[in-house]
Amino acid sequence: QVQLVESGGGLVQAGDSLRLSCTASGRTFSRHAMGWFRQAPGKEREFVASMRWANGDTYYSDSVKGRFTVSRTVARNTVYLQMNSLKSEEAGVYYCAARRVGARAYDVWGQGTQVTVSS
């Protein structure tokens, strides 16, 4: 059974940093892209960043470029989202997801981890 488990969420102050982790199990993701999304209360889920597992290519939304970094540890089947200079409006539930490279949609999702940013 394919599973993604996020961790690392918590309460921080605006301007602080936080690192989220997403550990994958049940399959190898060498032909997948791993994405990070977030959903604030009352808003739609939005793309934050992604990484192609095979070559480490990364993509970021304009709002987080220069502040967030996606990385991975292949041996641990884990992808990370380092978030620096967090803003209060970036609070929400952060999700990890996976899709096959070339597929339109992410079809495997984690349960999410809560990030609270106090101003």
Side-chain angles (χ1 to χ4, degrees):
Q1 183 179 358
V2 177
Q3 191 174 19
L4 299 176
V5 179
E6 303 98 332
S7 61
L11 170 63
V12 296
Q13 292 186 332
D16 284 353
S17 299
L18 201 61
R19 189 178 80 158
L20 306 182
S21 301
C22 171
T23 300
S25 62
R27 69 146 74 120
T28 60
F29 287 86
S30 59
R31 298 182 180 181
H32 288 70
M34 307 298 291
W36 286 98
F37 295 77
R38 66 186 176 204
Q39 187 167 21
K43 295 188 176 181
E44 293 189 356
R45 189 159 51 193
E46 63 174 344
F47 170 80
V48 176
S50 66
M51 169 181 277
R52 287 189 62 168
W53 190 264
N55 59 15
D57 283 352
T58 55
Y59 307 89
Y60 299 93
S61 68
D62 288 342
S63 64
V64 307
K65 278 181 185 176
R67 297 186 298 117
F68 289 15
T69 303
V70 180
S71 62
R72 74 192 189 296
T73 300
V74 175
R76 295 182 179 179
N77 231 22
T78 299
V79 63
Y80 306 95
L81 181 66
Q82 176 68 43
M83 305 184 292
N84 297 331
S85 301
L86 277 162
K87 303 175 182 179
S88 57
E89 59 265 33
E90 293 177 318
V93 180
Y94 281 69
Y95 297 91
C96 173
R99 65 172 175 82
R100 286 189 66 91
V101 173
R104 286 186 177 183
Y106 287 81
D107 60 346
V108 182
W109 291 84
Q111 84 288 351
T113 186
Q114 178 73 46
V115 173
T116 303
V117 184
S118 64
S119 56

mmCIF file with all atom_site columns, all heavy atoms in Angstrom, residues 54-80:
data_model
loop_
_atom_site.group_PDB
_atom_site.id
_atom_site.type_symbol
_atom_site.label_atom_id
_atom_site.label_alt_id
_atom_site.label_comp_id
_atom_site.label_asym_id
_atom_site.label_entity_id
_atom_site.label_seq_id
_atom_site.pdbx_PDB_ins_code
_atom_site.Cartn_x
_atom_site.Cartn_y
_atom_site.Cartn_z
_atom_site.occupancy
_atom_site.B_iso_or_equiv
_atom_site.pdbx_formal_charge
_atom_site.auth_seq_id
_atom_site.auth_comp_id
_atom_site.auth_asym_id
_atom_site.auth_atom_id
_atom_site.pdbx_PDB_model_num
ATOM 1   N N   . ALA A 1 54 ? 13.780 11.630 -9.659  1.00 0.00 ? 54 ALA A N   1
ATOM 2   C CA  . ALA A 1 54 ? 14.903 11.025 -10.368 1.00 0.00 ? 54 ALA A CA  1
ATOM 3   C C   . ALA A 1 54 ? 16.115 11.947 -10.455 1.00 0.00 ? 54 ALA A C   1
ATOM 4   O O   . ALA A 1 54 ? 17.258 11.507 -10.269 1.00 0.00 ? 54 ALA A O   1
ATOM 5   C CB  . ALA A 1 54 ? 14.469 10.603 -11.766 1.00 0.00 ? 54 ALA A CB  1
ATOM 6   N N   . ASN A 1 55 ? 15.884 13.213 -10.744 1.00 0.00 ? 55 ASN A N   1
ATOM 7   C CA  . ASN A 1 55 ? 17.028 14.090 -10.975 1.00 0.00 ? 55 ASN A CA  1
ATOM 8   C C   . ASN A 1 55 ? 17.104 15.280 -10.030 1.00 0.00 ? 55 ASN A C   1
ATOM 9   O O   . ASN A 1 55 ? 18.027 16.083 -10.123 1.00 0.00 ? 55 ASN A O   1
ATOM 10  C CB  . ASN A 1 55 ? 17.028 14.597 -12.424 1.00 0.00 ? 55 ASN A CB  1
ATOM 11  C CG  . ASN A 1 55 ? 15.773 15.367 -12.775 1.00 0.00 ? 55 ASN A CG  1
ATOM 12  O OD1 . ASN A 1 55 ? 15.012 15.767 -11.895 1.00 0.00 ? 55 ASN A OD1 1
ATOM 13  N ND2 . ASN A 1 55 ? 15.540 15.581 -14.065 1.00 0.00 ? 55 ASN A ND2 1
ATOM 14  N N   . GLY A 1 56 ? 16.128 15.408 -9.145  1.00 0.00 ? 56 GLY A N   1
ATOM 15  C CA  . GLY A 1 56 ? 16.177 16.483 -8.161  1.00 0.00 ? 56 GLY A CA  1
ATOM 16  C C   . GLY A 1 56 ? 15.757 17.844 -8.669  1.00 0.00 ? 56 GLY A C   1
ATOM 17  O O   . GLY A 1 56 ? 15.892 18.841 -7.938  1.00 0.00 ? 56 GLY A O   1
ATOM 18  N N   . ASP A 1 57 ? 15.254 17.927 -9.897  1.00 0.00 ? 57 ASP A N   1
ATOM 19  C CA  . ASP A 1 57 ? 14.789 19.223 -10.397 1.00 0.00 ? 57 ASP A CA  1
ATOM 20  C C   . ASP A 1 57 ? 13.661 19.739 -9.508  1.00 0.00 ? 57 ASP A C   1
ATOM 21  O O   . ASP A 1 57 ? 12.771 18.974 -9.128  1.00 0.00 ? 57 ASP A O   1
ATOM 22  C CB  . ASP A 1 57 ? 14.280 19.090 -11.834 1.00 0.00 ? 57 ASP A CB  1
ATOM 23  C CG  . ASP A 1 57 ? 15.409 18.993 -12.828 1.00 0.00 ? 57 ASP A CG  1
ATOM 24  O OD1 . ASP A 1 57 ? 16.579 19.179 -12.433 1.00 0.00 ? 57 ASP A OD1 1
ATOM 25  O OD2 . ASP A 1 57 ? 15.127 18.723 -14.012 1.00 0.00 ? 57 ASP A OD2 1
ATOM 26  N N   . THR A 1 58 ? 13.704 21.014 -9.198  1.00 0.00 ? 58 THR A N   1
ATOM 27  C CA  . THR A 1 58 ? 12.713 21.601 -8.304  1.00 0.00 ? 58 THR A CA  1
ATOM 28  C C   . THR A 1 58 ? 11.926 22.717 -8.989  1.00 0.00 ? 58 THR A C   1
ATOM 29  O O   . THR A 1 58 ? 12.424 23.356 -9.925  1.00 0.00 ? 58 THR A O   1
ATOM 30  C CB  . THR A 1 58 ? 13.374 22.161 -7.043  1.00 0.00 ? 58 THR A CB  1
ATOM 31  O OG1 . THR A 1 58 ? 14.399 23.093 -7.419  1.00 0.00 ? 58 THR A OG1 1
ATOM 32  C CG2 . THR A 1 58 ? 13.987 21.053 -6.206  1.00 0.00 ? 58 THR A CG2 1
ATOM 33  N N   . TYR A 1 59 ? 10.728 22.917 -8.497  1.00 0.00 ? 59 TYR A N   1
ATOM 34  C CA  . TYR A 1 59 ? 9.840  23.955 -9.011  1.00 0.00 ? 59 TYR A CA  1
ATOM 35  C C   . TYR A 1 59 ? 9.154  24.609 -7.825  1.00 0.00 ? 59 TYR A C   1
ATOM 36  O O   . TYR A 1 59 ? 8.802  23.931 -6.856  1.00 0.00 ? 59 TYR A O   1
ATOM 37  C CB  . TYR A 1 59 ? 8.800  23.346 -9.964  1.00 0.00 ? 59 TYR A CB  1
ATOM 38  C CG  . TYR A 1 59 ? 9.419  22.537 -11.058 1.00 0.00 ? 59 TYR A CG  1
ATOM 39  C CD1 . TYR A 1 59 ? 9.665  21.177 -10.881 1.00 0.00 ? 59 TYR A CD1 1
ATOM 40  C CD2 . TYR A 1 59 ? 9.789  23.123 -12.260 1.00 0.00 ? 59 TYR A CD2 1
ATOM 41  C CE1 . TYR A 1 59 ? 10.269 20.423 -11.876 1.00 0.00 ? 59 TYR A CE1 1
ATOM 42  C CE2 . TYR A 1 59 ? 10.393 22.371 -13.264 1.00 0.00 ? 59 TYR A CE2 1
ATOM 43  C CZ  . TYR A 1 59 ? 10.627 21.031 -13.058 1.00 0.00 ? 59 TYR A CZ  1
ATOM 44  O OH  . TYR A 1 59 ? 11.229 20.283 -14.047 1.00 0.00 ? 59 TYR A OH  1
ATOM 45  N N   . TYR A 1 60 ? 8.967  25.907 -7.914  1.00 0.00 ? 60 TYR A N   1
ATOM 46  C CA  . TYR A 1 60 ? 8.382  26.643 -6.796  1.00 0.00 ? 60 TYR A CA  1
ATOM 47  C C   . TYR A 1 60 ? 7.318  27.610 -7.292  1.00 0.00 ? 60 TYR A C   1
ATOM 48  O O   . TYR A 1 60 ? 7.419  28.167 -8.393  1.00 0.00 ? 60 TYR A O   1
ATOM 49  C CB  . TYR A 1 60 ? 9.464  27.440 -6.063  1.00 0.00 ? 60 TYR A CB  1
ATOM 50  C CG  . TYR A 1 60 ? 10.561 26.594 -5.472  1.00 0.00 ? 60 TYR A CG  1
ATOM 51  C CD1 . TYR A 1 60 ? 11.726 26.330 -6.182  1.00 0.00 ? 60 TYR A CD1 1
ATOM 52  C CD2 . TYR A 1 60 ? 10.424 26.043 -4.205  1.00 0.00 ? 60 TYR A CD2 1
ATOM 53  C CE1 . TYR A 1 60 ? 12.733 25.545 -5.645  1.00 0.00 ? 60 TYR A CE1 1
ATOM 54  C CE2 . TYR A 1 60 ? 11.428 25.256 -3.651  1.00 0.00 ? 60 TYR A CE2 1
ATOM 55  C CZ  . TYR A 1 60 ? 12.571 25.014 -4.387  1.00 0.00 ? 60 TYR A CZ  1
ATOM 56  O OH  . TYR A 1 60 ? 13.566 24.237 -3.842  1.00 0.00 ? 60 TYR A OH  1
ATOM 57  N N   . SER A 1 61 ? 6.321  27.825 -6.447  1.00 0.00 ? 61 SER A N   1
ATOM 58  C CA  . SER A 1 61 ? 5.389  28.898 -6.755  1.00 0.00 ? 61 SER A CA  1
ATOM 59  C C   . SER A 1 61 ? 6.115  30.221 -6.572  1.00 0.00 ? 61 SER A C   1
ATOM 60  O O   . SER A 1 61 ? 7.085  30.318 -5.807  1.00 0.00 ? 61 SER A O   1
ATOM 61  C CB  . SER A 1 61 ? 4.169  28.822 -5.832  1.00 0.00 ? 61 SER A CB  1
ATOM 62  O OG  . SER A 1 61 ? 4.539  29.129 -4.496  1.00 0.00 ? 61 SER A OG  1
ATOM 63  N N   . ASP A 1 62 ? 5.654  31.230 -7.260  1.00 0.00 ? 62 ASP A N   1
ATOM 64  C CA  . ASP A 1 62 ? 6.323  32.530 -7.188  1.00 0.00 ? 62 ASP A CA  1
ATOM 65  C C   . ASP A 1 62 ? 6.336  33.072 -5.769  1.00 0.00 ? 62 ASP A C   1
ATOM 66  O O   . ASP A 1 62 ? 7.281  33.761 -5.365  1.00 0.00 ? 62 ASP A O   1
ATOM 67  C CB  . ASP A 1 62 ? 5.630  33.521 -8.115  1.00 0.00 ? 62 ASP A CB  1
ATOM 68  C CG  . ASP A 1 62 ? 5.886  33.226 -9.579  1.00 0.00 ? 62 ASP A CG  1
ATOM 69  O OD1 . ASP A 1 62 ? 6.847  32.489 -9.879  1.00 0.00 ? 62 ASP A OD1 1
ATOM 70  O OD2 . ASP A 1 62 ? 5.126  33.730 -10.420 1.00 0.00 ? 62 ASP A OD2 1
ATOM 71  N N   . SER A 1 63 ? 5.315  32.752 -5.010  1.00 0.00 ? 63 SER A N   1
ATOM 72  C CA  . SER A 1 63 ? 5.197  33.335 -3.672  1.00 0.00 ? 63 SER A CA  1
ATOM 73  C C   . SER A 1 63 ? 6.243  32.800 -2.689  1.00 0.00 ? 63 SER A C   1
ATOM 74  O O   . SER A 1 63 ? 6.502  33.438 -1.671  1.00 0.00 ? 63 SER A O   1
ATOM 75  C CB  . SER A 1 63 ? 3.799  33.090 -3.118  1.00 0.00 ? 63 SER A CB  1
ATOM 76  O OG  . SER A 1 63 ? 3.570  31.700 -2.947  1.00 0.00 ? 63 SER A OG  1
ATOM 77  N N   . VAL A 1 64 ? 6.829  31.650 -2.986  1.00 0.00 ? 64 VAL A N   1
ATOM 78  C CA  . VAL A 1 64 ? 7.786  31.068 -2.035  1.00 0.00 ? 64 VAL A CA  1
ATOM 79  C C   . VAL A 1 64 ? 9.212  31.018 -2.570  1.00 0.00 ? 64 VAL A C   1
ATOM 80  O O   . VAL A 1 64 ? 10.132 30.641 -1.833  1.00 0.00 ? 64 VAL A O   1
ATOM 81  C CB  . VAL A 1 64 ? 7.359  29.651 -1.599  1.00 0.00 ? 64 VAL A CB  1
ATOM 82  C CG1 . VAL A 1 64 ? 5.933  29.663 -1.082  1.00 0.00 ? 64 VAL A CG1 1
ATOM 83  C CG2 . VAL A 1 64 ? 7.524  28.639 -2.718  1.00 0.00 ? 64 VAL A CG2 1
ATOM 84  N N   . LYS A 1 65 ? 9.404  31.376 -3.822  1.00 0.00 ? 65 LYS A N   1
ATOM 85  C CA  . LYS A 1 65 ? 10.750 31.334 -4.399  1.00 0.00 ? 65 LYS A CA  1
ATOM 86  C C   . LYS A 1 65 ? 11.720 32.165 -3.565  1.00 0.00 ? 65 LYS A C   1
ATOM 87  O O   . LYS A 1 65 ? 11.422 33.286 -3.174  1.00 0.00 ? 65 LYS A O   1
ATOM 88  C CB  . LYS A 1 65 ? 10.730 31.869 -5.830  1.00 0.00 ? 65 LYS A CB  1
ATOM 89  C CG  . LYS A 1 65 ? 10.295 30.865 -6.862  1.00 0.00 ? 65 LYS A CG  1
ATOM 90  C CD  . LYS A 1 65 ? 10.332 31.482 -8.255  1.00 0.00 ? 65 LYS A CD  1
ATOM 91  C CE  . LYS A 1 65 ? 9.791  30.524 -9.292  1.00 0.00 ? 65 LYS A CE  1
ATOM 92  N NZ  . LYS A 1 65 ? 9.727  31.126 -10.639 1.00 0.00 ? 65 LYS A NZ  1
ATOM 93  N N   . GLY A 1 66 ? 12.861 31.581 -3.296  1.00 0.00 ? 66 GLY A N   1
ATOM 94  C CA  . GLY A 1 66 ? 13.869 32.278 -2.515  1.00 0.00 ? 66 GLY A CA  1
ATOM 95  C C   . GLY A 1 66 ? 13.729 32.081 -1.024  1.00 0.00 ? 66 GLY A C   1
ATOM 96  O O   . GLY A 1 66 ? 14.645 32.387 -0.263  1.00 0.00 ? 66 GLY A O   1
ATOM 97  N N   . ARG A 1 67 ? 12.602 31.563 -0.573  1.00 0.00 ? 67 ARG A N   1
ATOM 98  C CA  . ARG A 1 67 ? 12.399 31.344 0.862   1.00 0.00 ? 67 ARG A CA  1
ATOM 99  C C   . ARG A 1 67 ? 12.224 29.864 1.206   1.00 0.00 ? 67 ARG A C   1
ATOM 100 O O   . ARG A 1 67 ? 12.624 29.427 2.281   1.00 0.00 ? 67 ARG A O   1
ATOM 101 C CB  . ARG A 1 67 ? 11.177 32.121 1.349   1.00 0.00 ? 67 ARG A CB  1
ATOM 102 C CG  . ARG A 1 67 ? 11.300 33.620 1.215   1.00 0.00 ? 67 ARG A CG  1
ATOM 103 C CD  . ARG A 1 67 ? 10.097 34.327 1.858   1.00 0.00 ? 67 ARG A CD  1
ATOM 104 N NE  . ARG A 1 67 ? 8.847  33.974 1.203   1.00 0.00 ? 67 ARG A NE  1
ATOM 105 C CZ  . ARG A 1 67 ? 7.851  33.334 1.796   1.00 0.00 ? 67 ARG A CZ  1
ATOM 106 N NH1 . ARG A 1 67 ? 7.957  32.978 3.071   1.00 0.00 ? 67 ARG A NH1 1
ATOM 107 N NH2 . ARG A 1 67 ? 6.743  33.078 1.126   1.00 0.00 ? 67 ARG A NH2 1
ATOM 108 N N   . PHE A 1 68 ? 11.625 29.111 0.311   1.00 0.00 ? 68 PHE A N   1
ATOM 109 C CA  . PHE A 1 68 ? 11.388 27.691 0.546   1.00 0.00 ? 68 PHE A CA  1
ATOM 110 C C   . PHE A 1 68 ? 12.334 26.867 -0.318  1.00 0.00 ? 68 PHE A C   1
ATOM 111 O O   . PHE A 1 68 ? 12.672 27.256 -1.448  1.00 0.00 ? 68 PHE A O   1
ATOM 112 C CB  . PHE A 1 68 ? 9.949  27.319 0.190   1.00 0.00 ? 68 PHE A CB  1
ATOM 113 C CG  . PHE A 1 68 ? 8.892  27.843 1.124   1.00 0.00 ? 68 PHE A CG  1
ATOM 114 C CD1 . PHE A 1 68 ? 9.158  28.855 2.038   1.00 0.00 ? 68 PHE A CD1 1
ATOM 115 C CD2 . PHE A 1 68 ? 7.616  27.296 1.093   1.00 0.00 ? 68 PHE A CD2 1
ATOM 116 C CE1 . PHE A 1 68 ? 8.185  29.338 2.892   1.00 0.00 ? 68 PHE A CE1 1
ATOM 117 C CE2 . PHE A 1 68 ? 6.625  27.755 1.944   1.00 0.00 ? 68 PHE A CE2 1
ATOM 118 C CZ  . PHE A 1 68 ? 6.905  28.793 2.836   1.00 0.00 ? 68 PHE A CZ  1
ATOM 119 N N   . THR A 1 69 ? 12.721 25.721 0.210   1.00 0.00 ? 69 THR A N   1
ATOM 120 C CA  . THR A 1 69 ? 13.604 24.821 -0.526  1.00 0.00 ? 69 THR A CA  1
ATOM 121 C C   . THR A 1 69 ? 13.132 23.384 -0.372  1.00 0.00 ? 69 THR A C   1
ATOM 122 O O   . THR A 1 69 ? 12.870 22.941 0.744   1.00 0.00 ? 69 THR A O   1
ATOM 123 C CB  . THR A 1 69 ? 15.044 24.924 -0.009  1.00 0.00 ? 69 THR A CB  1
ATOM 124 O OG1 . THR A 1 69 ? 15.495 26.274 -0.096  1.00 0.00 ? 69 THR A OG1 1
ATOM 125 C CG2 . THR A 1 69 ? 15.975 24.030 -0.834  1.00 0.00 ? 69 THR A CG2 1
ATOM 126 N N   . VAL A 1 70 ? 13.025 22.685 -1.496  1.00 0.00 ? 70 VAL A N   1
ATOM 127 C CA  . VAL A 1 70 ? 12.691 21.270 -1.488  1.00 0.00 ? 70 VAL A CA  1
ATOM 128 C C   . VAL A 1 70 ? 13.974 20.466 -1.637  1.00 0.00 ? 70 VAL A C   1
ATOM 129 O O   . VAL A 1 70 ? 14.833 20.803 -2.465  1.00 0.00 ? 70 VAL A O   1
ATOM 130 C CB  . VAL A 1 70 ? 11.733 20.913 -2.643  1.00 0.00 ? 70 VAL A CB  1
ATOM 131 C CG1 . VAL A 1 70 ? 11.389 19.426 -2.607  1.00 0.00 ? 70 VAL A CG1 1
ATOM 132 C CG2 . VAL A 1 70 ? 10.461 21.735 -2.552  1.00 0.00 ? 70 VAL A CG2 1
ATOM 133 N N   . SER A 1 71 ? 14.091 19.429 -0.852  1.00 0.00 ? 71 SER A N   1
ATOM 134 C CA  . SER A 1 71 ? 15.245 18.537 -0.967  1.00 0.00 ? 71 SER A CA  1
ATOM 135 C C   . SER A 1 71 ? 14.787 17.120 -0.675  1.00 0.00 ? 71 SER A C   1
ATOM 136 O O   . SER A 1 71 ? 13.626 16.898 -0.309  1.00 0.00 ? 71 SER A O   1
ATOM 137 C CB  . SER A 1 71 ? 16.347 18.956 0.006   1.00 0.00 ? 71 SER A CB  1
ATOM 138 O OG  . SER A 1 71 ? 15.882 18.871 1.346   1.00 0.00 ? 71 SER A OG  1
ATOM 139 N N   . ARG A 1 72 ? 15.685 16.172 -0.829  1.00 0.00 ? 72 ARG A N   1
ATOM 140 C CA  . ARG A 1 72 ? 15.307 14.779 -0.559  1.00 0.00 ? 72 ARG A CA  1
ATOM 141 C C   . ARG A 1 72 ? 16.490 14.001 -0.035  1.00 0.00 ? 72 ARG A C   1
ATOM 142 O O   . ARG A 1 72 ? 17.643 14.348 -0.275  1.00 0.00 ? 72 ARG A O   1
ATOM 143 C CB  . ARG A 1 72 ? 14.787 14.110 -1.832  1.00 0.00 ? 72 ARG A CB  1
ATOM 144 C CG  . ARG A 1 72 ? 15.872 13.763 -2.874  1.00 0.00 ? 72 ARG A CG  1
ATOM 145 C CD  . ARG A 1 72 ? 15.251 13.399 -4.176  1.00 0.00 ? 72 ARG A CD  1
ATOM 146 N NE  . ARG A 1 72 ? 16.133 12.853 -5.182  1.00 0.00 ? 72 ARG A NE  1
ATOM 147 C CZ  . ARG A 1 72 ? 17.144 13.461 -5.779  1.00 0.00 ? 72 ARG A CZ  1
ATOM 148 N NH1 . ARG A 1 72 ? 17.476 14.678 -5.415  1.00 0.00 ? 72 ARG A NH1 1
ATOM 149 N NH2 . ARG A 1 72 ? 17.819 12.870 -6.740  1.00 0.00 ? 72 ARG A NH2 1
ATOM 150 N N   . THR A 1 73 ? 16.185 12.934 0.669   1.00 0.00 ? 73 THR A N   1
ATOM 151 C CA  . THR A 1 73 ? 17.169 11.936 1.056   1.00 0.00 ? 73 THR A CA  1
ATOM 152 C C   . THR A 1 73 ? 16.718 10.626 0.441   1.00 0.00 ? 73 THR A C   1
ATOM 153 O O   . THR A 1 73 ? 15.734 10.026 0.895   1.00 0.00 ? 73 THR A O   1
ATOM 154 C CB  . THR A 1 73 ? 17.266 11.814 2.586   1.00 0.00 ? 73 THR A CB  1
ATOM 155 O OG1 . THR A 1 73 ? 17.642 13.074 3.138   1.00 0.00 ? 73 THR A OG1 1
ATOM 156 C CG2 . THR A 1 73 ? 18.301 10.772 2.960   1.00 0.00 ? 73 THR A CG2 1
ATOM 157 N N   . VAL A 1 74 ? 17.391 10.214 -0.597  1.00 0.00 ? 74 VAL A N   1
ATOM 158 C CA  . VAL A 1 74 ? 16.973 9.037  -1.355  1.00 0.00 ? 74 VAL A CA  1
ATOM 159 C C   . VAL A 1 74 ? 16.940 7.798  -0.473  1.00 0.00 ? 74 VAL A C   1
ATOM 160 O O   . VAL A 1 74 ? 15.989 7.011  -0.518  1.00 0.00 ? 74 VAL A O   1
ATOM 161 C CB  . VAL A 1 74 ? 17.901 8.831  -2.570  1.00 0.00 ? 74 VAL A CB  1
ATOM 162 C CG1 . VAL A 1 74 ? 17.546 7.527  -3.283  1.00 0.00 ? 74 VAL A CG1 1
ATOM 163 C CG2 . VAL A 1 74 ? 17.801 10.015 -3.522  1.00 0.00 ? 74 VAL A CG2 1
ATOM 164 N N   . ALA A 1 75 ? 17.962 7.616  0.333   1.00 0.00 ? 75 ALA A N   1
ATOM 165 C CA  . ALA A 1 75 ? 18.051 6.409  1.153   1.00 0.00 ? 75 ALA A CA  1
ATOM 166 C C   . ALA A 1 75 ? 16.903 6.294  2.132   1.00 0.00 ? 75 ALA A C   1
ATOM 167 O O   . ALA A 1 75 ? 16.525 5.185  2.532   1.00 0.00 ? 75 ALA A O   1
ATOM 168 C CB  . ALA A 1 75 ? 19.384 6.397  1.891   1.00 0.00 ? 75 ALA A CB  1
ATOM 169 N N   . ARG A 1 76 ? 16.325 7.420  2.525   1.00 0.00 ? 76 ARG A N   1
ATOM 170 C CA  . ARG A 1 76 ? 15.214 7.409  3.467   1.00 0.00 ? 76 ARG A CA  1
ATOM 171 C C   . ARG A 1 76 ? 13.873 7.575  2.783   1.00 0.00 ? 76 ARG A C   1
ATOM 172 O O   . ARG A 1 76 ? 12.847 7.640  3.454   1.00 0.00 ? 76 ARG A O   1
ATOM 173 C CB  . ARG A 1 76 ? 15.407 8.527  4.503   1.00 0.00 ? 76 ARG A CB  1
ATOM 174 C CG  . ARG A 1 76 ? 16.616 8.342  5.388   1.00 0.00 ? 76 ARG A CG  1
ATOM 175 C CD  . ARG A 1 76 ? 16.734 9.455  6.414   1.00 0.00 ? 76 ARG A CD  1
ATOM 176 N NE  . ARG A 1 76 ? 17.899 9.269  7.283   1.00 0.00 ? 76 ARG A NE  1
ATOM 177 C CZ  . ARG A 1 76 ? 18.247 10.110 8.252   1.00 0.00 ? 76 ARG A CZ  1
ATOM 178 N NH1 . ARG A 1 76 ? 17.534 11.190 8.476   1.00 0.00 ? 76 ARG A NH1 1
ATOM 179 N NH2 . ARG A 1 76 ? 19.314 9.869  8.978   1.00 0.00 ? 76 ARG A NH2 1
ATOM 180 N N   . ASN A 1 77 ? 13.897 7.661  1.456   1.00 0.00 ? 77 ASN A N   1
ATOM 181 C CA  . ASN A 1 77 ? 12.658 7.861  0.701   1.00 0.00 ? 77 ASN A CA  1
ATOM 182 C C   . ASN A 1 77 ? 11.868 9.044  1.251   1.00 0.00 ? 77 ASN A C   1
ATOM 183 O O   . ASN A 1 77 ? 10.637 8.989  1.385   1.00 0.00 ? 77 ASN A O   1
ATOM 184 C CB  . ASN A 1 77 ? 11.793 6.595  0.743   1.00 0.00 ? 77 ASN A CB  1
ATOM 185 C CG  . ASN A 1 77 ? 11.360 6.157  -0.643  1.00 0.00 ? 77 ASN A CG  1
ATOM 186 O OD1 . ASN A 1 77 ? 11.961 6.485  -1.650  1.00 0.00 ? 77 ASN A OD1 1
ATOM 187 N ND2 . ASN A 1 77 ? 10.280 5.392  -0.686  1.00 0.00 ? 77 ASN A ND2 1
ATOM 188 N N   . THR A 1 78 ? 12.582 10.092 1.578   1.00 0.00 ? 78 THR A N   1
ATOM 189 C CA  . THR A 1 78 ? 11.976 11.241 2.243   1.00 0.00 ? 78 THR A CA  1
ATOM 190 C C   . THR A 1 78 ? 12.271 12.521 1.475   1.00 0.00 ? 78 THR A C   1
ATOM 191 O O   . THR A 1 78 ? 13.389 12.731 1.011   1.00 0.00 ? 78 THR A O   1
ATOM 192 C CB  . THR A 1 78 ? 12.504 11.370 3.682   1.00 0.00 ? 78 THR A CB  1
ATOM 193 O OG1 . THR A 1 78 ? 12.147 10.189 4.414   1.00 0.00 ? 78 THR A OG1 1
ATOM 194 C CG2 . THR A 1 78 ? 11.923 12.583 4.376   1.00 0.00 ? 78 THR A CG2 1
ATOM 195 N N   . VAL A 1 79 ? 11.258 13.348 1.362   1.00 0.00 ? 79 VAL A N   1
ATOM 196 C CA  . VAL A 1 79 ? 11.406 14.667 0.749   1.00 0.00 ? 79 VAL A CA  1
ATOM 197 C C   . VAL A 1 79 ? 11.107 15.707 1.815   1.00 0.00 ? 79 VAL A C   1
ATOM 198 O O   . VAL A 1 79 ? 10.282 15.468 2.710   1.00 0.00 ? 79 VAL A O   1
ATOM 199 C CB  . VAL A 1 79 ? 10.472 14.815 -0.478  1.00 0.00 ? 79 VAL A CB  1
ATOM 200 C CG1 . VAL A 1 79 ? 9.018  14.729 -0.077  1.00 0.00 ? 79 VAL A CG1 1
ATOM 201 C CG2 . VAL A 1 79 ? 10.743 16.102 -1.217  1.00 0.00 ? 79 VAL A CG2 1
ATOM 202 N N   . TYR A 1 80 ? 11.801 16.823 1.744   1.00 0.00 ? 80 TYR A N   1
ATOM 203 C CA  . TYR A 1 80 ? 11.681 17.851 2.753   1.00 0.00 ? 80 TYR A CA  1
ATOM 204 C C   . TYR A 1 80 ? 11.227 19.172 2.131   1.00 0.00 ? 80 TYR A C   1
ATOM 205 O O   . TYR A 1 80 ? 11.476 19.432 0.948   1.00 0.00 ? 80 TYR A O   1
ATOM 206 C CB  . TYR A 1 80 ? 13.030 18.088 3.443   1.00 0.00 ? 80 TYR A CB  1
ATOM 207 C CG  . TYR A 1 80 ? 13.651 16.838 4.003   1.00 0.00 ? 80 TYR A CG  1
ATOM 208 C CD1 . TYR A 1 80 ? 14.583 16.106 3.271   1.00 0.00 ? 80 TYR A CD1 1
ATOM 209 C CD2 . TYR A 1 80 ? 13.311 16.379 5.272   1.00 0.00 ? 80 TYR A CD2 1
ATOM 210 C CE1 . TYR A 1 80 ? 15.156 14.960 3.773   1.00 0.00 ? 80 TYR A CE1 1
ATOM 211 C CE2 . TYR A 1 80 ? 13.882 15.223 5.788   1.00 0.00 ? 80 TYR A CE2 1
ATOM 212 C CZ  . TYR A 1 80 ? 14.794 14.522 5.032   1.00 0.00 ? 80 TYR A CZ  1
ATOM 213 O OH  . TYR A 1 80 ? 15.363 13.377 5.540   1.00 0.00 ? 80 TYR A OH  1
#
